[in-house]
Amino acid sequence: MPLQSAVNVVDCFFYDGIKAIFQIGLAILDATAVELCNSKDDGQALVVLSRFLEHLKNEESPLPPIGNLHSLLNNDQPEVLPVTDIMDLIRDSYEKFGNNSVEQIEHLRCKHRILVLQNHEETTKQNVLRVVSPDVSFIHEHLEELYDMFKREHFISCYWEGKCSLLERHDPSRPYAEQYKIDRWQFTNLFRLCSPWICGTHTEVLAERLFRLLDENLDSLIEFKAFVSCLDVMYYGEMNEKMKLLYKLHIPPALSENDHDCQSPLKGPLLSTNRPLKIVKANGEKKDYQKQLKQMLRDLARDQDKKSEKELPKMTQREFIQFCKTLYSLFHEDPTENDLYQSIATVTTLLLQIGEVGQRSSSSGSTSEEFSSVDQQNDASTSDQDSVFLDAAKSPSNTSPPLCESDWLISFEHILASLLTEQSLVNFFEKPLDIKPKLECVKTNPYGLKINGTVTLPPGLHL
């Protein structure tokens, strides 16, 4: 309200204490009750209250009048609103609400505090869902359950761990979708509960990499919008979106130098490109991938300058090995596991040959001779070699020496184009997924994630 009127309210506060502020607040709500009840949302209600307060006047004030903010910001013809004298408002507050004592006010506050807080939390929740829902494909019911899970993990981090201050985890000044945050431990728990990309013992590694990818400001905390956005890609994204996310999880910053899963390099025939790419199917049909390889490289080189979207960094051999490990882990226990292993073995060999072609061409400046040497490798192909290759790729512990990683690079476009040549891989990444069974499972165990019969708790907390 204008300063000329506010000084009278301060006088009442010095005379009657906080009771006077409460009374005048009730009088303002009473004076605007009809318009407030007709408001469609809290934003419209705030406009009603703001206009009323701006049009309070004090006839006895010696200060010059000040124009109200709404009329200054509105370029149109100012709307004529009734003016209320501050003394009339104060008189009404004492006549209508002056009988309430401080004790009665505190009693009513205690009585209704829990309901008020619940309504506030529900309002915050709906505002968050309203902000997030346009960007994801989850239905409203599932999005609500994900929000409740996220907030539950947030409260666990606030009141059980005690590693960070409450303000770091919950900042009311932030936008609704960024108020609640969780750390790496809570994110890993939620990833196990909700993600369709469960990879056995590799799941935790994948969750840690995803957390590093989402933690863009490096505060070791992520908000709800980032969490639900990555889940949306896993469940409803197209194959290229899913592969792009998987690709990002195997290059920096998601893949760090200290990643414990990277300390044991993958060895064996998976890193050998001496084996030709002529695969014999069960029906005796042969598929020759060499022409596809050459045409793929030419098409990618031709389209390279036409790309307007920022390209992803190329993947080194070490990162590609980790990428292959993740794919093998994802396929484990799938009904079409054998077909998927056969397909990924074929694609892996194809990509390794592409990487070697690029590696040698970077030093020689030409690829024509490399294509000729790749073609010559086809003459020694047999179906027995394919089964040996597949078995070795599943359990990569042989002693064949790995290729030199210097200058060995592969792009996201190479990987995506190669995966699209295998229908079983396309079917795996494009099959419809439903998060409802996982959410139903969470309802039966809302406060902990059971692994091997035990409940995972935050570090330092014991039952």
Side-chain angles (χ1 to χ4, degrees), residues 316-317 355-356 358-360 362-363 404-410:
T316 65
Q317 190 181 87
E356 281 197 356
Q359 181 183 24
R360 291 193 286 261
S362 65
S363 58
C404 178
E405 192 175 350
S406 175
D407 297 329
W408 194 101
L409 295 172
I410 200 79

Side-chain angles (χ1 to χ4, degrees), residues 116-126 147 151 180:
V116 170
L117 291 175
Q118 288 176 341
N119 289 336
H120 172 71
E121 287 296 322
E122 183 63 24
T123 300
T124 301
K125 174 181 176 178
Q126 295 305 322
Y147 178 83
K151 193 171 72 170
Y180 294 113

Side-chain angles (χ1 to χ4, degrees), residues 315-413:
M315 185 177 281
T316 65
Q317 190 181 87
R318 166 182 169 271
E319 294 161 355
F320 178 69
I321 293 169
Q322 299 305 316
F323 180 81
C324 293
K325 282 186 177 181
T326 299
L327 289 181
Y328 278 106
S329 300
L330 283 176
F331 301 153
H332 184 57
E333 295 184 356
D334 189 88
T336 61
E337 179 179 0
N338 291 333
D339 291 338
L340 290 169
Y341 282 153
Q342 176 67 55
S343 297
I344 198 59
T346 303
V347 169
T348 301
T349 305
L350 174 64
L351 290 170
L352 285 167
Q353 289 191 357
I354 292 176
E356 281 197 356
V357 169
Q359 181 183 24
R360 291 193 286 261
S361 64
S362 65
S363 58
S364 65
S366 174
T367 61
S368 57
E369 296 181 0
E370 306 305 331
F371 283 128
S372 299
S373 63
V374 169
D375 287 334
Q376 293 172 3
Q377 295 174 3
N378 280 328
D379 299 333
S381 174
T382 63
S383 59
D384 293 337
Q385 289 174 323
D386 299 323
S387 60
V388 172
F389 174 83
L390 180 59
D391 294 338
K394 288 186 192 178
S395 50
S397 58
N398 293 340
T399 58
S400 300
L403 298 173
C404 178
E405 192 175 350
S406 175
D407 297 329
W408 194 101
L409 295 172
I410 200 79
S411 69
F412 168 71
E413 289 77 12

Side-chain angles (χ1 to χ4, degrees), residues 123-279:
T123 300
T124 301
K125 174 181 176 178
Q126 295 305 322
N127 285 330
V128 171
L129 300 183
R130 187 172 66 243
V131 171
V132 173
S133 58
D135 300 326
V136 298
S137 301
F138 289 110
I139 64 175
H140 188 78
E141 177 186 356
H142 294 167
L143 203 56
E144 278 188 324
E145 294 185 39
L146 287 172
Y147 178 83
D148 292 337
M149 291 172 56
F150 189 91
K151 193 171 72 170
R152 186 185 304 121
E153 290 291 342
H154 160 80
F155 283 125
I156 290 175
S157 66
C158 288
Y159 299 108
W160 284 12
E161 286 192 73
K163 290 184 178 180
C164 309
S165 66
L166 184 61
L167 185 60
E168 291 180 18
R169 301 296 181 95
H170 182 207
D171 186 357
S173 65
R174 301 287 297 168
Y176 285 118
E178 301 176 12
Q179 287 188 9
Y180 294 113
K181 295 183 178 182
I182 59 175
D183 61 15
R184 179 184 61 83
W185 183 88
Q186 276 80 30
F187 178 81
T188 302
N189 262 3
L190 290 179
F191 186 87
R192 290 196 192 102
L193 288 169
C194 304
S195 173
W197 292 353
I198 300 302
C199 315
T201 57
H202 194 65
T203 302
E204 185 174 352
V205 175
L206 201 63
E208 290 180 359
R209 291 175 185 169
L210 182 55
F211 183 86
R212 284 196 292 266
L213 180 66
L214 298 176
D215 184 22
E216 296 180 352
N217 59 357
L218 302 179
D219 64 348
S220 299
L221 298 170
I222 63 168
E223 66 276 1
F224 176 71
K225 187 173 183 179
F227 165 71
V228 77
S229 296
C230 71
L231 278 183
D232 184 68
V233 173
M234 298 178 195
Y235 278 96
Y236 301 106
E238 297 180 356
M239 180 175 177
N240 64 320
E241 295 174 321
K242 294 178 181 179
M243 296 313 305
K244 183 174 289 187
L245 178 58
L246 276 173
Y247 185 91
K248 289 180 179 179
L249 294 181
H250 297 85
I251 58 175
L255 186 70
S256 68
E257 291 294 334
N258 298 325
D259 197 325
H260 63 82
D261 197 52
C262 301
Q263 302 305 316
S264 56
L266 192 63
K267 298 180 180 180
L270 185 57
L271 290 184
S272 173
T273 56
N274 294 327
R275 192 173 315 283
L277 275 174
K278 191 176 288 181
I279 305 300

Side-chain angles (χ1 to χ4, degrees), residues 304-320:
Q304 189 172 8
D305 297 332
K306 300 179 181 179
K307 296 175 184 176
S308 57
E309 185 180 358
K310 183 179 178 182
E311 290 186 358
L312 293 170
K314 290 188 176 181
M315 185 177 281
T316 65
Q317 190 181 87
R318 166 182 169 271
E319 294 161 355
F320 178 69

